[in-house]
Amino acid sequence: MVQDRDFDGYFRKCLQCGRIVDLGMEVAPLAVKSDERLAA
């Protein structure tokens, strides 16, 4: 799935089947950058 946004807010779309899931205006990131991970 890929995450994107438009005028209505964020959404995730499956590249294989085309299903779209609306996430609204606020959303957690789909992936965390390596430098943003917390150390254990």
Side-chain angles (χ1 to χ4, degrees):
M1 295 190 84
V2 295
Q3 183 171 302
D4 201 358
R5 73 176 200 184
D6 57 11
F7 293 110
D8 294 325
Y10 290 89
F11 62 91
R12 289 186 182 159
K13 181 176 182 179
C14 177
L15 296 177
Q16 186 174 7
C17 70
R19 180 178 179 202
I20 296 175
V21 178
D22 184 31
L23 301 173
M25 295 302 288
E26 294 184 23
V27 64
L30 188 60
V32 177
K33 295 179 185 176
S34 61
D35 59 335
E36 293 178 351
R37 293 184 184 161
L38 298 175

